[in-house]
Amino acid sequence: MNQNLQKLFSIAQKKEKIGIGLMSGTSLDGLDIALCRFTGNGLQTQFSLLKFITIPYQEAFKKEVQSIFARRDADLEKVCLLNAFIGNFHGELVLQALTEWGIKPTDVDFIASHGQTIYHAPKRLHQKPGYPNATLQIGDADHLAVKTGIFTISDFRQKHIAAGGEGAPLALYGDVLLGSKAGENRILLNIGGIANLTFLPANGDDSKILCTDIGPGNTMIDAACRKYFNIPYDEDSTIAFTGKVNEPLLNQLLKHPFFSEQLPKTTGPELFNLSYLDEALKQSGTVGLSAEDIICTLSTFTAKSITDFILQHIKAGDIKIFASGGGARNIYITNYLKKALPNAVIKDTSALGIDPDAKEAILFALLGNEALCGEPLKIGTNPTVLMGKFSFPV
């Protein structure tokens, strides 16, 4: 048998596995690196987070990615170059983290890499007859595997699309495995660049489980902060609290057909971006609005789209909401959620033993564990698949 296949078979049979989950989101803050221990698979999965770090990206790297991010007219040569560069670069960051933790690469069984999304194109967004749902993440896993010497699993979203899904949100599978509890109606709410949630019903009826994108998370707020204040984000919601909500602009932002489309659905910064804001400013007659009021209104837009969705679609009492992602630290948004959803208990995912900053990286590590030793998990009408492509270091 090929030595790589022999090693893969050996890893898959191990009772306990050490895996690294990598997540680089649309906010481009940095690379989330979660070192996890797994035993079992599927609904019997036992997990513990051993180490976690976010290694921030330098501005020069962010600008390189932003030059091709969510752009229909992206430079194809730059896409090609960054695909290889990011795979190698993420490998360097993994080795840096392992050195800081005093852990040898040979002690790690696998890396599960999300890659860097540069374009997300569900049919509802691209509207090109004859073309399927599509998404593209770069950061080649062969480069990552060779750089680190660690077996790597990547490109998880493609199988989901091939099986009839939209490639997102993949949080469903990890949320069901790690977040379900009999007798509790739970929402696992992730507010990253885009906001998404998984509803887990108290009765365990998987036909009632819902996992979908909701709308913008931090993406438009962060983009406006860069444009108007030359800062990456609104720290402590200082700007949002300084400004006032402009109702005509807010109402215009909420008019997009996406908010009434059939569930589940996905979206991205390809739709919710500064061009979307500029058009809303024109349509609402608020072009001269102050930058502070724009940030405040965008923050309300994110919070209101989340609460409107929950009130409309989650017909359950005694809901517990566990938030994660950068938006879980946005005081303005969390205050809004608590006021608009007074009957819900709102905490972050640390209450579940899951670091809210590490959650997405953990979920990809879990998908990697499933790819190695799991079986396709059937959850309602969602694609019943194992996701991920395998890259060997030699």
Side-chain angles (χ1 to χ4, degrees):
M1 182 186 290
N2 177 288
Q3 64 172 338
N4 282 325
L5 297 181
Q6 286 181 325
K7 185 174 182 180
L8 177 61
F9 187 68
S10 175
I11 293 172
Q13 288 187 307
K14 292 178 71 171
K15 182 178 180 181
E16 179 180 284
K17 300 175 190 67
I18 303 297
I20 288 176
L22 302 181
M23 181 65 198
S24 181
T26 56
S27 60
L28 289 172
D29 297 329
L31 182 65
D32 296 338
I33 306 175
L35 183 73
C36 306
R37 176 185 289 115
F38 293 100
T39 59
N41 62 274
L43 296 176
Q44 284 71 51
T45 301
Q46 296 294 315
F47 139 85
S48 58
L49 178 64
L50 304 177
K51 299 283 185 180
F52 175 71
I53 189 173
T54 298
I55 301 180
Y57 291 145
Q58 299 298 314
E59 284 302 316
F61 174 73
K62 291 182 185 180
K63 289 178 180 178
E64 286 289 279
V65 177
Q66 287 166 348
S67 73
I68 61 168
F69 178 70
R71 294 177 62 97
R72 293 185 179 184
D73 59 348
D75 181 331
L76 185 56
E77 181 181 67
K78 181 66 69 66
V79 173
C80 182
L81 295 174
L82 279 173
N83 183 44
F85 178 86
I86 290 174
N88 193 63
F89 178 46
H90 283 182
E92 292 175 354
L93 297 185
V94 168
L95 292 176
Q96 178 184 325
L98 290 175
T99 298
E100 290 183 19
W101 296 333
I103 296 170
K104 295 181 293 185
T106 52
D107 293 333
V108 180
D109 293 308
F110 68 90
I111 294 171
S113 172
H114 170 265
Q116 180 62 59
T117 296
I118 60 167
Y119 208 87
H120 186 62
K123 286 188 284 187
R124 62 164 51 85
L125 185 59
H126 68 66
Q127 297 184 346
K128 299 288 196 308
Y131 285 92
N133 294 320
T135 190
L136 182 60
Q137 289 72 43
I138 61 173
D140 183 73
D142 281 341
H143 288 76
L144 208 166
V146 170
K147 170 61 68 173
T148 61
I150 302 171
F151 168 67
T152 299
I153 309 166
S154 68
D155 215 14
F156 292 89
R157 298 188 185 276
Q158 297 304 328
K159 179 67 72 65
H160 194 267
I161 288 176
E166 292 190 5
L170 297 188
L172 168 68
Y173 299 89
D175 286 350
V176 169
L177 296 180
L178 300 180
S180 301
K181 184 177 180 181
E184 285 190 3
N185 291 306
R186 290 181 166 186
I187 292 174
L188 273 63
L189 172 65
N190 182 65
I191 313 174
I194 296 298
N196 60 72
L197 64 71
T198 302
F199 170 61
L200 302 168
N203 63 7
D205 181 354
D206 68 2
S207 69
K208 303 299 183 183
I209 292 173
L210 173 64
C211 185
T212 183
D213 283 352
I214 300 168
N218 303 316
T219 187
M220 292 183 69
I221 304 168
D222 292 351
C225 284
R226 290 192 295 270
K227 176 179 179 179
Y228 295 108
F229 296 95
N230 196 31
I231 56 176
Y233 64 98
D234 184 12
E235 187 172 2
D236 297 327
S237 305
T238 301
I239 302 171
F241 283 122
T242 302
K244 295 180 180 179
V245 178
N246 183 278
E247 293 295 338
L249 175 59
L250 177 62
N251 292 334
Q252 185 62 44
L253 289 167
L254 289 163
K255 278 186 178 180
H256 196 278
F258 170 81
F259 296 106
S260 58
E261 287 176 348
Q262 183 178 349
L263 305 179
K265 55 190 176 182
T266 65
T267 189
E270 295 77 13
L271 170 60
F272 294 112
N273 52 35
L274 289 181
S275 295
Y276 184 81
L277 171 62
D278 289 343
E279 183 62 25
L281 287 166
K282 292 176 185 176
Q283 293 296 323
S284 60
T286 56
V287 171
L289 196 64
S290 74
E292 290 81 4
D293 288 356
I294 288 174
I295 299 297
C296 181
T297 305
L298 288 175
S299 301
T300 304
F301 175 39
T302 288
K304 182 171 173 54
S305 61
I306 292 170
T307 55
D308 284 355
F309 181 93
I310 292 172
L311 291 170
Q312 180 179 353
H313 296 287
I314 310 297
K315 305 300 184 183
D318 302 320
I319 294 175
K320 292 186 177 181
I321 299 175
F322 300 94
S324 61
R329 298 191 304 273
N330 184 303
I331 304 169
Y332 186 97
I333 292 175
T334 54
N335 283 355
Y336 188 105
L337 296 180
K338 289 174 181 176
K339 290 178 182 177
L341 302 168
N343 296 323
V345 175
I346 302 176
K347 303 178 180 179
D348 66 42
T349 56
S350 61
L352 302 176
I354 301 172
D355 184 327
D357 293 326
K359 180 173 179 277
E360 287 196 284
I362 291 169
L363 292 179
F364 278 94
L366 185 145
L367 289 177
N369 183 66
E370 288 297 299
L372 280 167
C373 62
E375 296 291 341
L377 187 63
K378 180 171 179 55
I379 305 172
T381 59
N382 297 280
T384 305
V385 291
L386 286 175
M387 294 167 280
K389 297 172 183 174
F390 294 175
S391 293
F392 299 103
V394 293

